[in-house]
Amino acid sequence: MEIVAFIVTILCLSSLSSGETGSQESDSKTQPKDSGNSTLIQNDEEERTERGDGMLIEPEPTSPVSDMDNNYNYVLTRLAAMDQAIHRLNVGHYTLDVKVTQLLERISRLDNKLTEMEDSLQQVSLFSKENRKEIGRLEGCQKGRRVGYKCFMVYRVYATYADAAQKCLERGGRMAMPRDRKEQEALAEYVRAVFQPGNWPVWLGINDLRSEGLYLFEDTTRVTYFQWRKHFLSSQPDGGKRENCVAMSSDDGDWWDNYCDRRMYYLCEFEA
């Protein structure tokens, strides 16, 4: 047993000595042989960059870029810019189309409003005309002279025969049309009272515009009673085809034929 223990002891000592010798040889191999090698190692370490986590990153090798690559990249950049511009143009066109549609809708609504307003204005104009006629009729009967179922009113405004006829219609009446002696005498007396002591002719609703010598009232009915002036110096009618409209003298009530475009006062009649 003592011999075995001795042999084990010798083997352990020999193994320990061989391990120390190996470690010394390895250390001698790792040490730099000269200063040139150490300089190269230092330069190599300086070229490395350190990342945030402490690890070193080898720099990537760089290679020169060719003209073809530059042109290709330029074309790609321009195409990308054109694509963005086209996209913005499409967005703007869509926005404009929406606004145009909204504008057309507003114009349509405005047109409907204008149509409604025109209808309202027409109704107001119609009501105004009707009111004016009613006011004219009331005025004619209150301020004029009532004879039977008619009211006569003198208007001291100069007008041609056609204008006088239109104004009488606008007031809700017609030009005065004395149908018989009774109406003629009452009308003559009224006109004489309005203009005395002067003599002012006034238009009546009588003319022979359709046919010479065929005298008609303003409502196209034929005149059957006449009050022409009879005098040895100037018997009426004497105007022939030149004087086709009839006026009445305010002093005696006689009728005279006159030029229809002559301006003078006029008489209107209204239903009582």
Side-chain angles (χ1 to χ4, degrees):
M1 290 298 292
E2 294 179 357
I3 296 171
V4 174
F6 178 76
I7 293 171
V8 170
T9 303
I10 292 173
L11 291 174
C12 290
L13 291 174
S14 63
S15 63
L16 289 173
S17 62
S18 62
E20 292 177 357
T21 304
S23 63
Q24 291 178 357
E25 291 178 357
S26 62
D27 291 338
S28 64
K29 291 181 181 180
T30 57
Q31 291 180 355
K33 294 181 180 181
D34 51 24
S35 60
N37 291 333
S38 63
T39 303
L40 292 175
I41 293 173
Q42 184 179 0
N43 292 336
D44 183 64
E45 291 178 352
E46 290 177 353
E47 290 179 358
R48 297 177 181 179
T49 57
E50 186 176 355
R51 298 194 309 183
D53 55 0
M55 297 182 64
L56 298 179
I57 303 176
E58 294 290 339
E60 296 181 357
T62 59
S63 60
V65 181
S66 64
D67 293 339
M68 182 175 181
D69 292 336
N70 289 333
N71 294 334
Y72 179 73
N73 292 332
Y74 174 76
V75 170
L76 290 179
T77 303
R78 297 301 298 171
L79 289 175
M82 290 177 62
D83 183 69
Q84 294 178 358
I86 292 173
H87 175 70
R88 290 194 297 270
L89 182 62
N90 289 332
V91 172
H93 181 268
Y94 174 76
T95 303
L96 180 61
D97 184 67
V98 172
K99 290 186 177 297
V100 169
T101 302
Q102 294 175 350
L103 180 60
L104 291 176
E105 292 177 354
R106 292 179 181 177
I107 291 175
S108 178
R109 291 195 296 269
L110 180 60
D111 184 66
N112 294 333
K113 292 291 185 182
L114 289 176
T115 302
E116 294 176 359
M117 186 176 295
E118 288 177 355
D119 295 339
S120 299
L121 288 175
Q122 290 179 358
Q123 292 179 358
V124 170
S125 177
L126 181 61
F127 291 151
S128 177
K129 290 180 180 179
E130 295 298 327
N131 290 337
R132 186 175 181 182
K133 289 180 179 180
E134 185 63 20
I135 291 172
R137 187 186 68 80
L138 294 174
E139 182 184 44
C141 290
Q142 290 178 1
K143 296 182 179 180
R145 177 68 59 86
R146 183 166 183 169
V147 180
Y149 296 100
K150 292 182 181 180
C151 296
F152 295 95
M153 179 76 177
V154 174
Y155 290 92
R156 304 182 70 164
V157 179
Y158 289 111
T160 64
Y161 183 90
D163 290 341
Q166 180 63 32
K167 291 181 183 298
C168 287
L169 289 174
E170 290 175 355
R171 290 185 173 95
R174 295 176 296 186
M175 294 182 73
M177 297 177 289
R179 308 245 179 204
D180 51 33
R181 178 180 292 275
K182 182 180 179 179
E183 284 189 1
Q184 167 60 30
E185 290 178 350
L187 192 57
E189 191 275 329
Y190 165 61
V191 174
R192 183 167 55 252
V194 172
F195 290 104
Q196 66 179 355
N199 180 22
W200 297 90
V202 293
W203 286 121
L204 297 176
I206 301 172
N207 66 80
D208 64 342
L209 291 169
R210 293 190 176 185
S211 178
E212 177 60 27
L214 178 61
Y215 287 91
L216 302 176
F217 286 117
E218 194 63 22
D219 62 357
T220 70
T221 59
R222 188 168 183 173
V223 179
T224 57
Y225 172 81
F226 296 92
Q227 187 64 33
W228 296 115
R229 178 178 175 81
K230 299 298 181 181
H231 195 273
F232 67 95
L233 293 178
S234 59
S235 294
Q236 298 296 315
D238 62 354
K241 294 182 179 181
R242 298 172 302 169
E243 300 177 348
N244 299 306
C245 296
V246 178
M248 183 174 66
S249 298
S250 65
D251 59 346
D252 55 14
D254 288 342
W255 296 1
W256 297 65
D257 59 348
N258 284 273
Y259 296 102
C260 294
D261 56 356
R262 181 180 174 181
R263 297 170 63 84
M264 62 179 69
Y265 300 148
Y266 58 94
L267 272 164
C268 294
E269 69 175 36
F270 305 91
E271 294 180 359

